[in-house]
Amino acid sequence: MTVPGRRSSTFTRLLRHGFTDPSGAERLLDLPELAALRGDSVLLDALGATADPDLALRGLVRLVEAQPESERQTLTTTLLSAKPFRDRLLGVLGASEALADHLARHPRDWETLVTYEAADLHPGVADFERGLAGAADPVALRIAYRRCLLGIAARDVCGTTDVAQAAAELADLATATLRAALAIARAAEPADAAQCRLAVIAMGKCGGHELNYVSDVDVIFVGEPAEGADEAKALQAATRLASHLMRICSETTVEGTIWPVDANLRPEGRNGPLVRTLSSHLAYYQRWAKTWEFQALLKARPVAGDPELGSAYVDAVSPLVWQAAERENFVTDVQAMRRRVVDNIPVAQVDRELKLGPGGLRDVEFAVQLLQLVHGRSDATLHSGSTLDALAALAAGGYVGRADAAQLDEAYRFLRAMEHRIQLYRLRRTHLVPEGDEDLRRLGRSLGLRTDPVAELNKEWRRHASVVRRLHEKIFYRPLLDAVAQLAPGEIRLSPKAAGQRLEALGYADPAAALRHLEALASGVSRKAAIQRTLLPVLLGWFADSADPDAGLLGFRKVSDALGKTPWYLRLLRDEGAAAENLARVLSAGRLAPDLLLRAPEAVAILGDPEGLRPRGRDHLEQEVLAAVGRADDAEQAVAAARGVRRRELFRTAAADLIDAYGTEDSPRTSDQGALVDRVGQAVTDLNAATLAGALRAAVRAEWGDELPTRFAVIGMGRFGGHELGYGSDADVLFVHEPRPGVDDQEAARAANRVVTEMRRLLQLPTTDPPLLIDADLRPEGRSGPMVRTLASYQAYYRRWSLVWESQALLRAAPMAGDPELGQRFIELIDPLRYPAEGLGEDAVREIRRLKARMESERLPRGADPTLHAKLGRGGLSDVEWTVQLLQMRHGWAEPGLRTTRTRAALSAAHAAGLIPTEEAQTLDEAWVLATRVRNAVMLVRGRPGDTFPSEPRELAAVGRYLGYGPGHVGEMVDDYRRITRRARAVVDELFYGA
């Protein structure tokens, strides 16, 4: 009798044995059905050893209750007397609610777990066929299938088989099941069976002999006419048999389903015929198949139907699989496949995805399969459908480092064991790690983690996933370094041929040069070589993820040659996690950023500072530039210092732009493309303004000391005034001056002109830094007019002679350098011109439209595609800007928001004022941002300005990557550009031309 308020000794024992609901367990043990078991400590010990003692006890009660009265004693006696049976039965009941349900429905099936002969430990296909032999209909087949599954699960949870053996047994059971299902289908349609030969080819995990508990079974069907039969009718008969086989396995009955049979890996997928002849398969693979289809065929294995036809199929397609790496588009396909598709995983599930998430099973499988495709063409030992067998063969052949292979093997086995136990619980197809503590506890205990199952499971899972994340790409590159470096004893060197094959497969156009660079970087015993040997496997992966891996590797060698002896450089790359990846992205994305970096490699420090990629504001830059000018001995030294600051800031801006456009492992690519454009435009404008301020100070100081005889200001025009400069833009300017009191007008004019001449000379001096070209052609009278005017001269000219195009050009005018008060008075002077009271008259509107039409017909370069020219083409920058500027001149007098030099801000203000509907405003904004990004991309990739897409394939691919298009999608990029700008042009025709 239990004293009130005190727990019984049984309650305490149950807690100690791992029960989470000891009160409920006590009640179950007190049931009369368990009277024979209640007092036996052996039972409690066995229950406590299971994954979930509560679940195991509930399942046992149901099983005993389901026994006929006359059979119960047999079960309980066997349970107490036979330890192997006890461990198997309770192990299954504690791990699988679904198999407990099966045993409750079929109470005699426990007897299949009693036998414990040697032959029973590792059954093969023939054993499973005997187990399914009596099944003549789909329901009987399901019952027999689960009876066989009981044995596999028992051996698995008791540790009699490891995860690879369990997966192989599941594949063998699937093979026997497909054969039984085909036999049922043939028996139902003997006439169809007589007309054709049908072979079932297993693909995926079934073909690779590594099936899950619950998984689609991927198959391909091959059919041929029986002797004397008509081919068309035979294929129809084979298709009916194949469809019936699929239904037998897939349909839900009173006994549930077995698993879906998926034939979508066949030629043309679900759009192709279910059954083809062997010759039809070959014709498709030789002409139309994509690289991923050959990757899938790695695991093809004949499992059911006509064995001769199945073997003929595998023999015929096998050579094609091992030639896939020689295909013209292999590199592009590989790059696309390597970019793991996690986009379609719901965000909330990414961290719980065991298969597709970062560091998941798919990472290991893909890496192994890709290496098989690359090296299997010259090494038949790699021709295995099993992931773990292939990984072992890759290590044995030196294609993967032994230590890396061992770590991946361990991680893969652990992740597969997790997947097996998760699916076994309810026999449901899932790859999500559960969230509830009860489920996690059962899962952890099933894997032998008993002290703190939930915490230990999470720790082990994260550790193994981290190993996979770190190694799944590293294993591509580490052996490349071993091919050119000293090896540890016992390691096998990758041959030069194999190293070249791998580099080619990863997108390197010149594998021989790449190997030379690797040798130069990684050979030797210096600390520098040791650190670079550690860094290079990861860097090579990032280079291969770009459009030009060769350029990335060459750039890295040049930077390392320049900075390799600098202690902080190697420390930066080794210790600052983001710095190495940022450097790889910058070096392999095009010519501009590496060119800027290689002129002063110490700027690489920017890439390791979390704040380093943030643009500096104009005040900060101007202060730095003017301080550098003040320290210089002469004007040329002063402007050289200013241009050095500009080069560094251009690199900072370009690097930040590229890193945001590409994204990194820790931060995805920026989705707001408009924000990227605005940031580049503002940053380049600020640094050009600061550079002009420095050149002005240097020119004045060289001849006049601290003060020029005339007040002087530089007015930004065009994109400069609009804060929309690109990397390759000139600085459009006007120069204005005003004589100081007591200074003669002619002396003041001479001084102002000499300053302008000196500024232009200094900014274009040939140095290692990019020049800043000053363009003053928008001044009154254009190239025929004086370079500099007084404020009064501008006033007189604009009052008397100004043309409508000049008023339009002044919409972008903003002070950039020099005397700020003079600059502001110039703006006050021109405001009535650019925002005329009561708006533009109809004559002026017609004139602007006439000028625009003339520009479209005359200024587009000869031979240029008008649908792809970013500046002057259909729906490009000019179209959008003229449309917005016409609105500014017509309505700016009444709408203060329109009085801005920035295109996007003016467009937004026009929309807010109701002058442009929402959809039209979005269309114009999207086209303007895209055209601006195309121009920026061309400059970043080619290192020189351009207004249209490059024709060279690698450059075009690099532009695509910058714009967010993966390998092989440049056609889609061009189509999208044409579509977006075509829609913008329709809006321009309506709003600008009034069409």
Side-chain angles (χ1 to χ4, degrees), residues 161-175:
T161 55
D162 66 15
V163 68
Q165 290 167 326
E169 286 186 19
L170 288 164
D172 284 342
L173 176 56
T175 296

Side-chain angles (χ1 to χ4, degrees), residues 700 703-712 737-752 754-755:
V700 170
E703 188 168 344
W704 295 278
D706 292 333
E707 187 174 271
L708 193 63
T710 185
R711 300 173 72 185
F712 187 91
H737 79 103
E738 186 176 66
R740 294 187 185 279
V743 175
D744 175 70
D745 286 357
Q746 288 189 331
E747 181 191 346
R750 280 197 300 272
R754 282 213 301 279
V755 163

Side-chain angles (χ1 to χ4, degrees), residues 23 28 76 103 127 170 176 594 615 666 766:
S23 300
L28 291 177
T76 55
L103 283 168
D127 299 293
L170 288 164
D666 294 329

Side-chain angles (χ1 to χ4, degrees), residues 334-643:
V334 163
Q335 285 183 319
M337 291 190 298
R338 281 179 63 248
R339 200 158 290 103
R340 194 170 354 90
V341 185
V342 294
D343 294 349
N344 57 356
I345 304 174
V347 174
Q349 296 181 358
V350 169
D351 290 339
R352 296 165 50 220
E353 240 309 332
L354 202 57
K355 180 178 178 181
L356 300 175
L361 292 161
R362 179 60 56 83
D363 279 351
V364 183
E365 291 159 359
F366 177 78
V368 169
Q369 289 164 22
L370 183 54
L371 289 176
Q372 284 181 277
L373 285 178
V374 172
H375 299 296
R377 49 185 160 164
S378 55
D379 187 345
T381 65
L382 305 181
H383 296 188
S384 170
S386 157
T387 301
L388 290 173
D389 289 349
L391 181 58
L394 286 163
Y399 303 103
V400 173
R402 289 184 189 277
D404 291 347
Q407 284 187 284
L408 271 185
D409 181 280
E410 182 191 1
Y412 187 73
R413 287 174 185 274
F414 182 84
L415 296 174
R416 281 302 301 271
M418 278 185 72
E419 182 183 44
H420 277 189
R421 299 294 196 276
I422 291 167
Q423 293 183 349
L424 181 59
Y425 175 49
R426 285 192 173 142
L427 289 182
R428 288 182 184 166
R429 182 175 180 268
T430 179
H431 308 288
L432 291 179
V433 178
E435 293 180 287
D437 278 356
E438 184 182 339
D439 291 326
L440 291 170
R441 181 176 182 273
R442 180 181 56 256
L443 180 55
R445 284 174 59 91
S446 77
L447 296 169
L449 308 172
R450 296 300 171 97
T451 308
D452 185 353
V454 176
E456 290 177 72
L457 173 67
N458 280 318
K459 180 181 175 183
E460 284 298 290
W461 173 31
R462 300 301 176 192
R463 179 175 73 83
H464 286 297
S466 171
V467 166
V468 173
R469 263 201 312 275
R470 192 178 74 249
L471 289 182
H472 105 270
E473 288 195 347
K474 175 187 168 187
I475 65 169
F476 292 110
Y477 310 108
R478 168 65 62 192
L480 291 170
L481 297 189
D482 292 343
V484 296
Q486 292 293 315
L487 294 182
E491 285 287 354
I492 299 170
R493 186 186 298 275
L494 199 64
S495 71
K497 178 185 175 186
Q501 286 176 338
R502 188 172 304 188
L503 284 163
E504 250 180 75
L506 294 165
Y508 288 83
D510 189 349
L515 277 173
R516 287 197 300 274
H517 298 323
L518 289 177
E519 187 168 13
L521 287 162
S523 58
V525 293
S526 67
R527 179 172 171 273
K528 170 187 169 186
I531 292 175
Q532 289 182 159
R533 278 196 296 273
T534 303
L535 287 169
L536 274 165
V538 186
L539 286 170
L540 284 169
W542 287 322
F543 294 149
D545 194 37
S546 73
D548 196 349
D550 300 80
L553 182 55
L554 174 61
F556 181 68
R557 181 179 176 184
K558 288 179 176 177
V559 172
S560 286
D561 286 348
L563 293 177
K565 293 181 181 176
T566 314
W568 64 262
Y569 166 68
L570 292 170
R571 191 166 59 247
L572 170 81
L573 295 186
R574 186 191 62 201
D575 300 336
E576 299 289 341
E581 184 176 5
N582 289 344
L583 178 62
R585 297 296 182 207
V586 166
L587 290 175
S588 57
R591 293 180 187 170
L592 178 66
D595 284 352
L596 293 169
L597 177 61
L598 290 169
R599 286 169 183 164
E602 63 276 3
V604 78
I606 288 170
L607 303 176
D609 179 0
E611 294 295 309
L613 295 171
R614 193 184 301 278
R616 303 297 186 251
R618 188 190 301 187
D619 291 345
H620 181 284
L621 290 170
E622 195 166 310
Q623 187 178 358
E624 181 182 2
V625 166
L626 293 179
V629 167
R631 290 191 297 269
D633 293 334
D634 57 38
E636 293 189 0
Q637 269 190 19
V639 173
R643 286 172 64 181

Side-chain angles (χ1 to χ4, degrees), residues 642-824:
R643 286 172 64 181
V645 173
R646 178 172 178 265
R647 182 238 316 120
R648 184 198 69 209
E649 294 306 313
L650 268 178
F651 172 73
R652 188 194 309 276
T653 305
D657 190 16
L658 288 166
I659 290 162
D660 278 343
Y662 270 67
T664 64
E665 289 190 355
D666 294 329
S667 61
R669 63 186 303 269
T670 302
S671 57
D672 186 350
Q673 309 305 311
L676 281 180
V677 164
D678 291 345
R679 189 175 69 187
V680 170
Q682 184 65 55
V684 179
T685 299
D686 285 346
L687 65 93
N688 281 359
T691 307
L692 284 176
L696 175 59
R697 173 73 61 86
V700 170
R701 196 183 66 167
E703 188 168 344
W704 295 278
D706 292 333
E707 187 174 271
L708 193 63
T710 185
R711 300 173 72 185
F712 187 91
V714 182
I715 309 297
M717 300 287 284
R719 297 192 185 291
F720 190 21
H723 300 261
E724 295 163 354
L725 285 176
Y727 298 108
S729 304
D730 296 346
D732 289 319
V733 297
L734 298 178
F735 297 108
V736 57
H737 79 103
E738 186 176 66
R740 294 187 185 279
V743 175
D744 175 70
D745 286 357
Q746 288 189 331
E747 181 191 346
R750 280 197 300 272
N753 275 290
R754 282 213 301 279
V755 163
V756 170
T757 303
E758 181 66 357
M759 282 177 68
R760 300 182 78 180
R761 181 186 76 83
L762 291 170
L763 289 169
Q764 294 177 50
L765 282 173
T767 71
T768 57
D769 296 317
L772 174 56
L773 302 177
I774 295 175
D775 186 340
D777 287 355
L778 291 175
R779 63 188 184 271
E781 301 177 75
R783 293 181 182 178
S784 306
M787 184 68 72
V788 194
R789 287 177 183 263
T790 61
L791 189 63
S793 174
Y794 275 108
Q795 185 174 21
Y797 174 85
Y798 287 138
R799 185 174 61 244
R800 187 169 183 185
W801 304 109
S802 177
L803 300 173
V804 68
W805 74 263
E806 291 177 298
S807 298
Q808 184 183 351
L810 290 170
L811 285 167
R812 314 290 289 277
M816 287 295 166
D819 189 308
E821 194 263 339
L822 178 61
Q824 185 55 42

Side-chain angles (χ1 to χ4, degrees), residues 277-349:
T277 62
L278 178 54
S279 60
S280 175
H281 275 98
L282 286 177
Y284 172 85
Y285 287 126
Q286 287 165 347
R287 188 169 184 187
W288 303 111
K290 297 181 174 63
T291 300
W292 71 262
E293 293 178 277
F294 293 111
Q295 184 181 3
L297 285 170
L298 273 171
K299 296 184 179 292
R301 179 172 66 93
V303 290
D306 190 306
E308 189 181 320
L309 179 57
S311 297
Y313 172 88
V314 171
D315 291 344
V317 300
S318 185
L320 300 177
V321 171
W322 305 113
Q323 293 163 13
E326 296 165 12
R327 290 159 57 88
E328 185 180 343
N329 58 345
F330 181 74
V331 171
T332 307
D333 290 345
V334 163
Q335 285 183 319
M337 291 190 298
R338 281 179 63 248
R339 200 158 290 103
R340 194 170 354 90
V341 185
V342 294
D343 294 349
N344 57 356
I345 304 174
V347 174
Q349 296 181 358

